[in-house]
Amino acid sequence: MPNEDVYILCYGWAVGYVRLPDGRRQILSILLAGDLFSSKLIFKETPHFAVQSLTDARFSRISRADLKARLDRNPNALGALAKVCVEEGTAADDLLIDLGRRSADERIARLILSVTERLRSRVVIREERYPFPLRQQDIADVVGLTPVHVSRVIKKFRQTGLIEWAGGSLTIVDPVGLRRIGLVD
Amino acid sequence: MPNEDVYILCYGWAVGYVRLPDGRRQILSILLAGDLFSSKLIFKETPHFAVQSLTDARFSRISRADLKARLDRNPNALGALAKVCVEEGTAADDLLIDLGRRSADERIARLILSVTERLRSRVVIREERYPFPLRQQDIADVVGLTPVHVSRVIKKFRQTGLIEWAGGSLTIVDPVGLRRIGLVD
DNA sequence: CGATCGGTTGATATGAATCAACGTGCGTGG
DNA sequence: CCACGCACGTTGATTCATATCAACCGATCG
């Protein structure tokens, strides 16, 4: 159904996803505090995906009409919006390349790297330890794999001393090694 | 390098793609006459992908500064641009779902359906026969498969009487059957 | 007329999925 | 406080979809 409003995640983690009728799920984006659910929804009343929180979360609602009015009045707000759109688009393109052309190891390494990178630009990180509330099922649904395969890859990453991950918090033990796997580009 | 201009495909077919250093290629979008190379490039000087034509093609160049000026002056042009951005974004999301969660058969059926759908809205089609200049390698690079696997799937589609395809032109013999494979959503 | 390009085909290999069992922590209700 | 159920992760065995390798074919073109 059409929706009058547009949402921003204020606190916590969430994902934007699509579920097919037979149960398959694809996560389109991982949302962190400060993210619009999608810039597309500013101009599109009927969303083509759903949003679900992974942690306690808060979001705020903005009336689309208000937002547009403010955009018209404030010309440099437009530039900011454009920037958000571009970032969202290139993130989608990056994920496309991952899903189309990269191996499971590469995809998961890159997911970890990209999320920690985004995290680092927003919150204070102490000694390479990041909050990481994604379940393995969620990771699987981002990178197009099975949760059991994700489990095996993560196990390998742990055993080779690349990462530590327990209780929703992650530390990258060997950033160089992880980048060697993920940063083919 | 930064680029002052922005391009529109006027005639022919092209693809926007990324090539990884080891040769792997992922096509991000199939461009038809009338398409912007990418709406992202209006606000972003350094493109993150390359474009290559599949047929004879013509494109026209527009200065980014001019375009922005025109956009400022003409408020309902902004709406048109927004629409293009949204369409581009949802197309990317659709492909993401394909690559992450759908089988080879589904992906290829959907690719055929989506391209013919776009084609139908722009040119006159006679008796379900479409121009289709993609090579199997190109199809493979869109849907994240190998050209030889694409060949096998196409063979199956031909043998089961779904499509005919030869000499760069395609006809959908059994649209219902093709949609039954591809339209799980 | 050989060379190249795109496609086809068969044999084989392999990455990831599937199926199934088990473990472990945790919240909840008795 | 215990017992149960549930969610999540792990592990092993097996299967399956797709990749890889290699040969060949037909059309096109210089």
Side-chain angles (χ1 to χ4, degrees), chain B residues 135-136 151-152 155 158:
Chain B
R135 293 165 304 135
Q136 297 192 350
S151 172
R152 293 191 222 271
K155 178 187 177 187
R158 277 201 266 246

Side-chain angles (χ1 to χ4, degrees), chain A residues 47-106:
Chain A
H48 60 296
F49 65 92
V51 172
Q52 180 186 355
S53 68
L54 303 178
T55 64
D56 276 356
R58 259 180 297 129
F59 58 88
S60 81
R61 185 196 335 194
I62 302 170
S63 135
R64 182 178 295 111
D66 274 14
L67 191 64
K68 280 184 175 170
R70 229 177 302 174
L71 231 44
D72 282 345
R73 266 182 279 112
N74 191 342
N76 56 359
L78 197 77
L81 171 61
K83 194 174 161 218
V84 171
C85 289
V86 167
E87 276 165 10
E88 211 177 272
T90 57
D93 286 348
D94 286 347
L95 188 52
L96 263 173
I97 301 166
D98 284 0
L99 298 194
R101 287 304 181 205
R102 286 198 246 250
S103 72
D105 290 15
E106 292 174 296

Side-chain angles (χ1 to χ4, degrees), chain A residues 40 48 96, chain B residues 28 85-96:
Chain A
K40 289 188 271 303
H48 60 296
L96 263 173
Chain B
L28 301 174
C85 289
V86 167
E87 276 166 10
E88 211 176 272
T90 57
D93 286 349
D94 286 347
L95 187 53
L96 262 174

Side-chain angles (χ1 to χ4, degrees), chain A residues 101 134-137 148 151-152 155 158 165:
Chain A
R101 287 304 181 205
L134 300 199
R135 294 166 304 135
Q136 296 192 351
Q137 177 68 252
V148 354
S151 172
R152 293 192 222 269
K155 178 188 177 186
R158 276 200 267 246
W165 182 26

Side-chain angles (χ1 to χ4, degrees), chain B residues 67-108:
Chain B
L67 191 64
K68 279 184 173 169
R70 227 177 304 174
L71 231 44
D72 282 344
R73 266 183 279 112
N74 191 343
N76 56 357
L78 197 78
L81 172 61
K83 194 175 162 218
V84 171
C85 289
V86 167
E87 276 166 10
E88 211 176 272
T90 57
D93 286 349
D94 286 347
L95 187 53
L96 262 174
I97 302 167
D98 283 0
L99 298 195
R101 288 304 182 207
R102 287 197 245 250
S103 73
D105 289 16
E106 292 174 296
R107 295 182 208 181
I108 294 176

